[in-house]
Amino acid sequence: MTETKTVEAQEKAILTPENKPSIYDHTAATPYIITPIKELQEIESYVHHWEVKEWSLLPDKAQGPYFEVAGFKWRVLLFPRGNNQREMASVYLEVEPLAGTDSSKDWSVCAQFGIVISDPTDPTSYYSNSSPSIL
């Protein structure tokens, strides 16, 4: 039986450190970080960079600056020494309710996102994870 692979899957399979795109080249890097989900309608696409200085001096919970996408305010929550574990950093994406929304009631927003941690001295050295999520 022959397996057919898409060009996109083949390109991802041959990604090496030598040809890995810079994290600052959003057009080239995004396909390796986020795979579009056909069932989701894209309303807005956005890339946010939060440069963390002096990682070792951060408190146990750090919050990045707010940024706005699709009318929502978002920010990154970073636990540099882990959240309920101490073996690795924990990173979350937090969204604020829209103005006028009763936050005591159930509400949600659907978002597909990727979180990337990169080496500030080498923008081709990074770890990424992505997930569609309802926040």
Side-chain angles (χ1 to χ4, degrees):
M1 178 176 198
T2 305
E3 183 178 327
T4 304
K5 294 183 180 181
T6 65
V7 172
E8 181 179 313
Q10 290 173 350
E11 288 175 0
K12 285 184 179 185
I14 59 169
L15 186 65
T16 67
E18 292 78 28
N19 68 358
K20 194 172 187 181
S22 165
I23 197 61
Y24 297 111
D25 182 351
H26 305 144
T27 302
T30 298
Y32 296 104
I33 297 166
I34 296 176
T35 302
I37 297 174
K38 290 182 276 186
E39 294 81 18
L40 295 179
Q41 176 188 0
E42 183 177 314
I43 295 173
E44 186 175 349
S45 180
Y46 182 81
V47 175
H48 173 73
H49 291 273
W50 173 29
E51 185 176 344
V52 177
K53 304 241 183 218
E54 301 186 26
W55 181 282
S56 63
L57 299 179
L58 288 173
D60 286 344
K61 177 182 177 183
Q63 299 168 314
Y66 280 106
F67 56 96
E68 191 169 317
V69 181
F72 290 90
K73 288 175 70 174
W74 306 80
R75 71 177 168 187
V76 175
L77 299 179
L78 170 63
F79 296 82
R81 288 168 280 291
N83 184 21
N84 296 322
Q85 52 83 28
R86 292 287 190 196
E87 296 180 20
M88 63 187 75
S90 299
V91 185
Y92 303 91
L93 185 60
E94 177 181 57
V95 63
E96 293 287 318
L98 288 173
T101 301
D102 182 353
S103 60
S104 66
K105 295 185 178 181
D106 288 339
W107 67 277
S108 63
V109 60
C110 184
Q112 183 181 16
F113 61 92
I115 293 180
V116 179
I117 297 177
S118 65
D119 179 344
T121 64
D122 179 2
T124 64
S125 176
Y126 51 89
Y127 170 80
S128 66
N129 198 347
S130 66
S131 174
S133 181
I134 296 179
L135 302 172

